Amino acid sequence: MTNNNNKWQFSKAFYVANTMEIFERLAWYGFFALSSLYMSTPKSEGGVGFTDMERGALQGIIPFFLYLLPVFTGALGDKWGYRKMFLLAFTIMTPGYYLLGQAEEFSSFFFAFLLVAFGAACFKPVVVGTISHASNDENRGLAFGIFYTMVNIGGFIGPLVAGYMRSISWDMVFAMSAFWIALNFIPALFFYRDPKTVTKSNVNVKHILLEAQQVLGNARFALSIFPLIVFLMIAGAGWWSYQSAAIAAVVWLVFNWLWNRFALTQSATWYKQKIQVSNKPFAVYLLLLTGFWTVYNQLFYTMPLYIRDFVDTADLVAMLSVFGSNVVEFLAYVDQPLLTEKINALITQGIPAQQAVSELVHQKVRVPIAEYQAVLTQFQHTNIFTPEQAGVVASEWANAYRQVNPEYLINLDFAAIIICQILVSLACQHFKTINVLVVGVLVFGGGLLVAILANSLFAGGMLAVMAILMMAFGEMITSPKSQEYVASIAPKDQAAMYMGYYFVSMALGFLFAGLLSGWGYGTVAKEMDAPELMWSGFAVLALITSIGLIWFNRQYIDKSTQVSSTPASELSI
């Protein structure tokens, strides 16, 4: 009984850190879940009007650095102290979120987003470090279970609040995110103290780079890879064409191949060394996981836009009406004065039906082309269309064609995780880790295929919900096991260090997800009017990742297990 009571005993720092985590997640997901919608919304509708390529570049490049920087900012936390890093993070993120709502051009938005990412990178390692130091071997599993529950609670509530805020104005979304972060100064200043087990460390950047070489590869390996990523980023941002980036990549690879031909196998000087991968199985595994994180992030990057532009959620509105008009007004809110103004402008300017209907989705109504054309034709015959008439039409269309906010549907992912994650994890314990990983990725890929049907069948809203829930279960199955699987690859005495570099796969996944979303949605879904081809492409990537994981397990894990279990007398030397 005593041990059980001790299991639930945590220091004050544990509860303060969890509180700050909730507020930080409220801010991040309040912005992140709506980021695609905001960036693609025209300036006339309150957004910034970026192209899909620009949006994808921002969503790929900035989170890439957000997930790489904690390797360095974590060392700063160990050196300066956790409390100082918390305060630094909030000092950076508070104005960063506010400036995101004020930025109107790509460059200023990029800078503000980078501020938010740097602040979040300062926050992540010290909040996780606090949870670790505030628990012990007996209750660490419980501690992180509580912590990740807080993450998902923040992820669930954040978009709900942000969705309501955007019904007031887009500026309020970012002001709310800044407010959530500013609230964190209270616990950080008045209640948080570094756990007693935290000791100051003198770890420097050189030590971190040496550790990275031990896990990933030598300096030559890093130098051969990182410029390729930079070329991709530059092309994604539109500063180069992809053709120019491809030429630069080929030239760089040829140069490194020639360099490697004349390099020495053993040399103390880094630039004289051959390219070396420190742990090939781990590097291959990270590359395969990059495929999963690439398709996973389409849930946040591409799905909200797809629901807005291609899916009719009127069936969900009809179902919600059973719970009363207040529920409908909250989840499918339409600002009728703004809709009236928009309809009046479109009709009086004679905007063609196809273009007008695509603009009206920003007012959260999906008007049939024939319906709009009828109103436009009537105006062209009479040449009379008053604001009062526009108001009547707006009221009719708001009642008949209103749509559920995409961010609320995406939010079902967090709701499902909060309710089902523990049960899913318990069920997965009975199966081999590799089988669980493969099934999880395939389930997520199945969700991508179901998304195709949401554009072609009458119950579009319900099919979109089904797709999102399948993706949520794919995430619940895959994400925890993908980290657990690292233990099969890492040397037994270095598992913790290898886990620190697991997030490289997430960083690369965010990068490729953003760039592919920008190209896939802008070019394939919209310009070619083939969203089914876009989703099929992502589903194929999920399938390739699954096949790759099976091959990886047979090539590296099963073989190493067979070798380790073979008696020494049977091993050839």
Side-chain angles (χ1 to χ4, degrees), residues 247-534:
I247 293 171
V250 170
V251 171
W252 182 248
L253 288 172
V254 171
F255 171 74
N256 275 275
W257 179 78
L258 293 172
W259 186 356
N260 215 49
R261 294 276 293 179
F262 294 99
L264 303 174
T265 304
Q266 297 292 334
S267 176
T269 308
W270 73 269
Y271 58 83
K272 294 181 180 179
Q273 298 173 357
K274 288 184 178 293
I275 295 174
Q276 295 177 0
V277 180
S278 300
N279 188 320
K280 186 178 179 181
F282 187 61
V284 174
Y285 181 63
L286 291 182
L287 186 62
L288 289 170
L289 277 189
T290 297
F292 169 71
W293 292 117
T294 298
V295 296
Y296 162 76
N297 279 299
Q298 302 314 315
L299 175 61
F300 298 100
Y301 288 173
T302 308
M303 184 61 82
L305 300 176
Y306 176 70
I307 292 172
R308 183 193 67 188
D309 296 335
F310 289 97
V311 178
D312 187 354
T313 60
D315 57 318
L316 293 181
V317 174
M319 291 176 60
L320 291 170
S321 64
V322 174
F323 301 98
S325 59
N326 289 337
V327 173
V328 172
E329 283 295 326
F330 179 80
L331 296 176
Y333 175 77
V334 176
D335 190 328
Q336 290 199 31
L338 283 180
L339 180 59
T340 299
E341 185 180 324
K342 184 67 177 179
I343 291 172
N344 190 54
L346 291 172
I347 296 297
T348 55
Q349 293 172 23
I351 303 299
Q354 188 67 52
Q355 179 185 342
V357 167
S358 65
E359 291 186 24
L360 284 170
V361 297
H362 296 290
Q363 302 296 329
K364 291 179 276 189
V365 290
R366 176 169 298 281
V367 181
I369 291 178
E371 183 84 9
Y372 175 86
Q373 187 61 52
V375 176
L376 179 62
T377 301
Q378 182 180 3
F379 164 72
Q380 290 171 339
H381 286 321
T382 63
N383 206 30
I384 298 174
F385 194 74
T386 65
E388 289 74 19
Q389 289 175 292
V392 172
V393 173
S395 179
E396 293 175 355
W397 287 358
N399 290 327
Y401 306 121
R402 69 170 69 231
Q403 302 289 298
V404 177
N405 286 22
E407 63 268 27
Y408 294 151
L409 296 183
I410 301 302
N411 216 28
L412 291 171
D413 173 71
F414 293 107
I417 291 173
I418 292 171
I419 297 169
C420 302
Q421 179 66 76
I422 293 176
L423 294 175
V424 170
S425 295
L426 288 173
C428 290
Q429 287 180 348
H430 302 291
F431 302 96
K432 288 180 64 176
T433 301
I434 184 62
N435 294 338
V436 173
L437 279 174
V438 170
V439 169
V441 177
L442 289 175
V443 169
F444 198 98
L448 297 172
L449 293 176
V450 171
I452 295 174
L453 302 177
N455 178 39
S456 57
L457 298 179
F458 65 93
M462 283 301 299
L463 286 165
V465 169
M466 185 183 300
I468 292 167
L469 291 178
M470 286 185 68
M471 294 180 199
F473 275 93
E475 176 191 355
M476 282 185 266
I477 295 168
T478 305
S479 183
K481 285 295 181 181
S482 66
Q483 298 183 50
E484 178 184 322
Y485 198 61
V486 172
S488 304
I489 307 164
K492 298 303 179 185
D493 59 339
Q494 296 178 324
M497 182 172 71
Y498 272 71
M499 272 304 306
Y501 290 89
Y502 162 88
F503 294 99
V504 170
S505 66
M506 297 184 71
L508 290 171
F510 271 96
L511 175 63
F512 295 135
L515 298 179
L516 285 175
S517 174
W519 173 80
Y521 193 75
T523 303
V524 180
K526 291 177 69 176
E527 291 182 14
M528 296 172 56
D529 194 25
E532 68 283 352
L533 185 60
M534 174 195 69

Side-chain angles (χ1 to χ4, degrees), residues 112-268:
F113 200 180
L114 197 60
L115 272 181
V116 170
F118 183 68
C122 291
F123 176 83
K124 279 180 178 295
V126 289
V127 72
V128 172
T130 298
I131 301 302
S132 181
H133 281 284
S135 56
N136 53 48
D137 292 340
E138 291 184 1
N139 61 13
R140 188 159 290 123
L142 175 63
F144 275 96
I146 294 172
F147 173 72
Y148 287 117
T149 300
M150 299 304 107
V151 170
N152 285 295
I153 288 174
F156 176 71
I157 297 174
L160 288 177
V161 176
Y164 176 76
M165 288 294 122
R166 86 153 165 140
S167 68
I168 301 172
S169 76
W170 276 110
D171 287 346
M172 288 298 296
V173 173
F174 299 98
M176 198 68 209
S177 288
F179 172 74
W180 291 131
I181 297 298
L183 279 180
N184 266 336
F185 279 107
I186 297 173
L189 285 170
F190 300 109
F191 301 106
Y192 182 84
R193 296 295 180 270
D194 286 6
K196 294 178 181 179
T197 53
V198 174
T199 56
K200 296 293 180 68
S201 169
N202 292 320
V203 173
N204 53 30
V205 173
K206 182 179 180 181
H207 175 84
I208 295 171
L209 294 176
L210 289 173
E211 187 181 82
Q213 289 185 37
Q214 186 179 350
V215 176
L216 300 174
N218 63 359
R220 282 290 322 283
F221 174 72
L223 187 61
S224 65
I225 297 298
F226 196 73
L228 300 178
I229 296 174
V230 173
F231 297 156
L232 186 62
M233 289 179 177
I234 293 173
W239 299 324
W240 273 8
S241 66
Y242 277 102
Q243 183 179 5
S244 299
I247 293 171
V250 170
V251 171
W252 182 248
L253 288 172
V254 171
F255 171 74
N256 275 275
W257 179 78
L258 293 172
W259 186 356
N260 215 49
R261 294 276 293 179
F262 294 99
L264 303 174
T265 304
Q266 297 292 334
S267 176

